[in-house]
Amino acid sequence: VSASRKWKVHQIDIKTAFLHGKADMDIFMKQPPGFEDGSNLVCKLRKTLYGLKQAPRAWYFVLKGVLTNLGFEQVSADSSFWIHKANDVVVFLTTIVDDMLVVSPNEAYTLHIMDEILKKLPGTHGGRAKHYNGLRITWLDNTKEVVITQAAHVEKLYEKFSRFMSPSVQRSLPGPAGLRVCKSGSNL
């Protein structure tokens, strides 16, 4: 890729993803609280709900249909990675459930593709990607570097499991503060 092209990674979050899936079999549930009429009737679901075993699969087929209709092709090695080629522009899209990262060398075309996705699947364009699947993404524009950390994930794990760990004990250094260690025979 030439240095003049700027690749900006954009983020999309689809709202209520599992509610977009269609129930492909007969699924019945009790009437929800507040809707009971005492008749012991049940509800037949047309769409999937969160908590159903079938919901992730149904959502996947909805997403696959939308992306395929927009011209994306799935990478055979990874069902969550998609490529769209048009007008000498390649758009890459990766998804984890309802979160997507979209990137291409043509910013205008990337935004166009994202708009098309959001017309079919209500969600939000989160701008340049800052968080994805527990990762924090920091863009250093001056050096064109990317720093990816999991600090928030580590902090959550610490909060969850810290009660099982023995208390931290402060230790002193095995030498005086300011000690400089160097290889034997060197001048430092």
Side-chain angles (χ1 to χ4, degrees):
V1 177
S2 72
S4 63
R5 293 183 178 176
K6 292 185 178 185
W7 292 70
K8 288 190 179 173
V9 180
H10 290 269
Q11 190 164 11
I12 296 176
D13 182 26
I14 303 300
K15 301 297 176 199
T16 61
F18 286 177
L19 302 181
H20 295 285
K22 293 176 178 60
D24 59 356
M25 61 178 60
D26 290 342
I27 302 172
F28 299 93
M29 65 176 267
K30 292 191 299 187
Q31 292 179 345
F35 291 92
E36 299 120 339
D37 60 3
S39 64
N40 283 338
L41 294 177
V42 294
C43 299
K44 181 178 179 183
L45 298 180
R46 292 186 208 156
K47 298 233 175 204
T48 57
L49 297 173
Y50 282 84
L52 283 178
K53 289 181 187 178
Q54 299 89 340
R57 182 175 181 271
W59 160 244
Y60 167 77
F61 285 121
V62 169
L63 178 63
K64 183 177 181 178
V66 167
L67 294 178
T68 302
N69 286 339
L70 290 175
F72 279 90
E73 293 180 14
Q74 203 169 29
V75 174
S76 62
D78 186 348
S79 62
S80 66
F81 195 77
W82 299 79
I83 297 176
H84 174 78
K85 297 176 185 175
N87 305 329
D88 294 331
V89 177
V90 178
V91 178
F92 301 99
L93 182 144
T94 186
T95 180
I96 295 178
V97 186
D98 60 350
D99 293 323
M100 298 177 202
L101 295 181
V102 186
V103 64
S104 83
N106 184 320
E107 180 95 16
Y109 196 70
T110 302
L111 294 173
H112 166 72
I113 289 292
M114 291 175 60
D115 285 342
E116 292 300 313
I117 292 170
L118 291 171
K119 283 178 188 174
K120 309 252 188 283
L121 301 168
T124 57
H125 172 202
R128 193 173 198 183
K130 294 180 183 140
H131 294 89
Y132 187 68
N133 194 33
L135 300 173
R136 174 180 230 166
I137 304 168
T138 306
W139 303 93
L140 306 174
D141 290 329
N142 54 340
T143 61
K144 300 187 190 281
E145 294 175 324
V146 178
V147 178
I148 299 175
T149 60
Q150 283 188 299
H153 180 64
V154 171
E155 288 170 11
K156 282 182 185 177
L157 287 175
Y158 177 77
E159 288 175 19
K160 182 176 180 180
F161 295 107
S162 63
R163 63 188 166 131
F164 300 111
M165 300 181 338
S166 59
S168 299
V169 178
Q170 193 172 21
R171 303 281 184 207
S172 61
L173 293 174
L179 174 69
R180 297 180 85 182
V181 180
C182 59
K183 187 176 179 180
S184 177
S186 65
N187 297 331
L188 190 61

